[in-house]
Amino acid sequence: MIESPPKEIPSIIVQSKNKLTTPMLKRIFTLFLFAALTKFSTAQFNTLWIPDTLSGTTFNLNLIDTFKQIRSGNQTVTAGVNSDFWGPTLFFNKGDTVHMNVHNYLNDSTTLHWHGMHLPAVMDGGPHQVIPPGTIWQPYWKVANNAATYWYHPHLHEMTQEQMTKGLGGFIIVRDPQEAALALPRTYGVDDIPLMLTSRSYNGSNAFLYTNTSYGDYMLTNGIPSAQVNLPKQMVRLRILNAEMERAYNLGFSDGRTFYVIGNDGGLLNAPVAETRVILAVGERIEILVDLGTNNIGDTVNLNAYNGGFALGFPGGEPAQGGQFGSLLNNKTFTLLHINVTAATANAITALPVALANNTYWTASDATVNKTVTVTGGLPNQPGNPFGFENTHFDFNVINKTVNLNDIEKWTITNSNVFGHAFHIHDVEFKLVSRSTGAVGAYESGWKDVLYLPLGSSATFVAKFDDYSDSIHPFMYHCHFGPHEDGGMMGQFVVKGDNTSGIAEANVGTDFNLYPNPAHNKLFIQFPEENAGVYYVRMSDIAGRSVYMLPQPQLNNGIDIANLPSGIYLVALTDSKFNTITKKFIKD
Amino acid sequence: MTVVLLLFLLCTSAAETEKRIVKDFSLQNVDGKIISTKDYKDAKGFVVIFTCIHCPFAKLYHERLNQLHAKYSKLHIPLLLINSSDTIMFANESLANMAKVAKEMKYSFPYLFDPSQTVAKDFKAEKTPHAFVIWKENKQWIIKYSGAIDDNGAHPELVKSTYIANALDELLAGKPVTVSCGYSIGCAIHYRK
Ligand SMILES: [Cu+2]
């Protein structure tokens, strides 16, 4: 578990040399030799952590401040979800309605965004759904996404980089019958491995750095430095997420082998795509199959980032080793995961499927509305004008774009600016239909929610904005680089329709009753008026301490208050016109 | 923007930290009594440590706080432990719960309640734990050290630098403090707006 940075060993010798006698030097030389040998054997690798799993339809996620022994010396202060870094992998079945209990035990407010999920804006966990410390937020939605690898992460404006750096986040794996019918590896942690790629820099006390820094100096793969994993001699599936702040990974294997891309952000490709290198930008996921069947047991192979030699604009290609835009991993090849080949498992998948899915993608001609987004700002000589879109920066009070429910739209994102970006849009999975740099790569031909936007290029996607409208609550589109989105490289759009988020227009009317009062386990809400509805319920104690946030609550079964301390509470009901009525009840 | 500013405050230049002056303060102790820095007529300085009940990193230091106080209070540098948590956000950070911790951990020093967060603001405390050494010079309290207690939270046996003890030993010997600024690490103190 403890990383031994090899660089420190020579420095000890250099510092002490003058005072040392020959026998002492010999001993230290032996020590150094031993350390050097272990460096090049397998001993310095640490076992890859596979996140725990949660499944079912109710998910309890506790966001905590904690610490973890990542390096030798002091522990690193971290944050995690039910864990000391990162969080559990959530397994959803397509078609299920999932209920989330997100309990914020952090010392600060946060939000939790379900990246890639198609859901109502008020459930999305964007910058608007701020969860104060001590509060339980209970969004729920019907899983409409295809089987693929998604993730959840904080999205609090101006705090995203800090909170993600500390480790908050986790994978979501959606299963569906189409994917389940295929002969694909899917034994989690055995032949189906989630890989969260990121890097960190540390100060002298091993604390993470997260201000004025774009790149980490040391890799963390699922939170583990110098990670290794034993994988069986058969076809294995890697679900790779770029959870960096800015760096892209030019993925490949140390023996130059061909691997097969089977899935993008939002689902399987129609057929596997053979590649030896694939660029994965921040926020993107890719599922690949790697054939270890031709290897011998005991073989090793590295999954590497071949990040050397890129032109300016490739995120992480900057040559500097230090400073805001430099790092020890910039502009070079480095290892992401060391793989040891072990014996095959029973029922191993050994063959590559010929076909995977039968996606019908949108084409440019399906779109009835065209929108453009242009990258601006970020010039080195204009420090007061960070990266943005259309020369503006995120403002809670400004809706930048409006979409009509069920429209198919074509968005063209243009970057003739100074650096590469990773463009992400909430609510939808889109189809990339063209790039100014040439054809859309086969490896990115599937459903996506993030696109890599190289410097000096434009990219066009088509998406249908269906199912959920909400004329008030926006979705986000933004650059997924932590420093860029925190700097305001975000816009918001609303999806306008006949109703709000698929439910009847919510209207609290003029009055409601809370019963029983006092209440002990469950609190019910009774409306004297027909067609009354609720858009949002917030509950706080008499001191003003927020305890519950319930978006579009399903009130038929009451609100579970069994775990609240006894006392007087305030219940505020808000309708979709933002009328709010507040009532008191006593928890006994 | 506030985030950026706060981080810089953690470790400004040593010279700047040494010049910072903090005010005398009086706060309620877990035994109900009001304790004031002015009550300590003989004090050459204080070890002032901001903590809270719930932060896992702060919980690692109970024993070391007792040891620091045992050694340095005899040398007229008592330890004052302060809880400046936002009690609106964190209901459990109450005087009653603090008293339970003080009893359980056999605290030999005052554990003071700062619900208005004024003392934490005067010190510019950032984290729990965040330790300070203040020293009396010309009838004023000067911050001589700000940062971590030592350099290993979970493993006291692996500590290499005892920042607080080192600073106190140097001050007692009439020397300037070599390391006047170590990173304080732990949970952020949530300041009530
Ligand atoms: Cu960007």
Side-chain angles (χ1 to χ4, degrees), chain A residues 387 420-422 479-481 484-485 489:
Chain A
F387 283 117
H421 299 279
C479 178
H480 217 290
F481 292 5
H484 294 187
E485 61 182 298
M489 195 176 182

Side-chain angles (χ1 to χ4, degrees), chain B:
Chain B
M1 281 310 290
T2 50
V3 183
V4 178
L5 291 172
L6 292 179
L7 198 84
F8 279 114
L9 285 174
L10 277 183
C11 240
T12 47
S13 75
E16 211 173 301
T17 308
E18 283 204 37
K19 273 186 220 151
R20 262 177 57 202
I21 297 165
V22 289
K23 297 187 205 74
D24 274 298
F25 56 85
S26 47
L27 293 170
Q28 191 174 18
N29 192 10
V30 285
D31 62 6
K33 290 178 188 147
I34 303 292
I35 296 229
S36 168
T37 44
K38 288 180 181 165
D39 302 339
Y40 295 81
K41 302 291 181 205
D42 296 342
K44 294 176 179 168
F46 287 97
V47 177
V48 177
I49 299 178
F50 294 87
T51 191
C52 67
I53 295 171
H54 71 279
C55 176
F57 212 77
K59 287 179 188 173
L60 301 171
Y61 278 94
H62 298 299
E63 185 54 37
R64 277 171 273 182
L65 299 185
N66 278 328
Q67 288 164 358
L68 272 172
H69 185 67
K71 180 169 178 190
Y72 290 102
S73 60
K74 285 182 223 151
L75 304 169
H76 306 289
I77 312 157
L79 189 151
L80 299 175
L81 187 65
I82 303 179
N83 188 333
S84 300
S85 298
D86 177 354
T87 51
I88 300 294
M89 284 289 191
F90 302 100
N92 290 335
E93 300 287 341
S94 63
L95 191 63
N97 287 343
M98 285 165 57
K100 279 184 208 160
V101 174
K103 195 179 168 197
E104 196 182 330
M105 296 302 159
K106 301 189 173 68
Y107 283 169
S108 51
F109 44 82
Y111 186 12
L112 307 173
F113 189 40
D114 178 27
S116 66
Q117 304 185 304
T118 47
V119 179
K121 279 177 193 159
D122 190 36
F123 276 77
K124 297 190 167 73
E126 299 292 337
K127 301 282 167 72
T128 58
H130 191 162
F132 293 86
V133 172
I134 59 172
W135 205 254
K136 190 173 260 181
E137 284 180 2
N138 302 321
K139 298 181 180 173
Q140 286 181 313
W141 295 115
I142 313 291
I143 295 180
K144 292 289 183 180
Y145 173 83
S146 161
I149 296 165
D150 58 34
D151 68 356
N152 201 312
H155 296 286
E157 74 283 6
L158 298 179
V159 166
K160 288 182 189 143
S161 294
T162 52
Y163 301 124
I164 289 285
N166 295 353
L168 295 177
D169 291 344
E170 287 173 333
L171 288 164
L172 286 166
K175 293 180 193 162
V177 175
T178 319
V179 181
S180 62
C181 182
Y183 293 94
S184 80
I185 60 172
C187 307
I189 295 177
H190 185 277
Y191 281 101
R192 191 161 48 243
K193 306 245 158 45

Side-chain angles (χ1 to χ4, degrees), chain A residues 75-89:
Chain A
Q75 300 73 45
T76 299
V77 168
T78 56
V81 183
N82 309 352
S83 167
D84 60 8
F85 188 87
W86 201 238
T89 299

